[in-house]
Amino acid sequence: MSEHRSDQLTFQNPVTRFPEISPPEQHQPEPGLDQDLIPQTDRGQHSYRGTGRLEGRKALITGADSGIGAAVAIAFAREGADVALSYLPAEEEDAQEIKSFIEEAGRRAVLLPGDISEPGFCSELVERAVAELGGLDALVNNAGRQIAREDIAELPDEQWVDTFETNIHAIFRISQAAIPHLPAGSTIVNTTSIQAYSPSPHLLDYASTKAAINNFTKGLGQMLAPRGIRVNAVAPGPIWTPLQVSDGQPKDALPEFGKNTPLGRAGQPTELAPAYVFLTSPESSYVIGETLNVNGGTPSP
Ligand code: NAD
Ligand code: MG
């Protein structure tokens, strides 16, 4: 798929913009690497065309090494932003690749590995991003973990707690640490999911955190609007990323992944990037507390 070249602004059919994929059954230990995914994903590395919409911005993106976060990092850099990337130490290879794309775009990439499920690291992450970027005016809370369990009896308490720590407690902590640094005009974009409204039974913990993220976004959006800081969310549908093969889906579900959407195919990470760019760019000045669904056409509230 890396040979795909036509950019996101070229008139094209969304059904055939990316081929329908039938990923073979495969497994990676959590968190999973883009480099080992079959087939490879499209993070826009060969196609995303910037149009100056984030010129001079300073962004911190969590989960920026792979999948959706990597596509957002590439897009932000090509739109003119310097980017600090948060990811787990085990993902260094993926992060290095994204760093090289950001630098090819002529922007700065700051690598900040660490575990955001640890409360102390969340504030350290923000302080380091601010110090290295020389400020902060865009935060993308995108990191998340998803471990499928067929039965509630098989869902360990430890997993329940860790999913909440990573997916929603960290968003609270990172946002709280970042807000004092954010000047008027800044933005926060959180990654929720279609799972927030249409939960799969095998994702009890994960789907619950995604509903919480949607709600948190609408509350914080109102709280910060008078200060000129806008908070929004993006709700992806089925997107082909390493999350899915590191126990995010039952293995036998992989070949059919995303085929039940109205478009009939899984999404590629780069198809998410324009939503984050729009919600971060000043052009969305009157958009607050919104959840932008990017899911191949499945109805959502
Ligand atoms: P991904 O695996 O590429 O990205 C998730 C990232 O989260 C990882 O790269 C990792 O860096 C980060 N992460 C996880 N635990 C962490 C921790 N403890 N500390 C620091 N970083 C940690 O997969 P993705 O699908 O691109 O996921 C990005 C976001 O999109 C997630 O919030 C996910 O829930 C959401 N999402 C994905 C889909 C999909 O179908 N892929 C659908 C809806 C929502
Ligand atoms: Mg990753």
Side-chain angles (χ1 to χ4, degrees), residues 174-188:
I174 293 169
S175 300
Q176 191 184 49
I179 288 162
H181 298 284
L182 300 179
S186 299
T187 51
I188 299 175

Side-chain angles (χ1 to χ4, degrees), residues 85-107:
L85 299 88
S86 156
Y87 54 96
L88 285 163
E91 301 173 302
E92 188 63 32
E93 275 176 69
D94 276 354
Q96 288 290 347
E97 189 184 16
I98 304 310
K99 178 176 191 266
S100 69
F101 293 135
I102 292 169
E103 288 173 348
E104 274 170 30
R107 309 307 315 188

Side-chain angles (χ1 to χ4, degrees), residues 32 65-66 91:
D65 58 295
S66 60
E91 301 173 302

Side-chain angles (χ1 to χ4, degrees), residues 65-66 68 91 115-116 142 144 191-192 206 210 237 239 241 244:
D65 58 295
S66 60
I68 296 165
E91 301 173 302
D115 186 344
I116 62 166
N142 165 74
T191 301
T192 174
Y206 175 86
K210 293 300 177 180
I239 312 303
T241 71
Q244 307 300 347

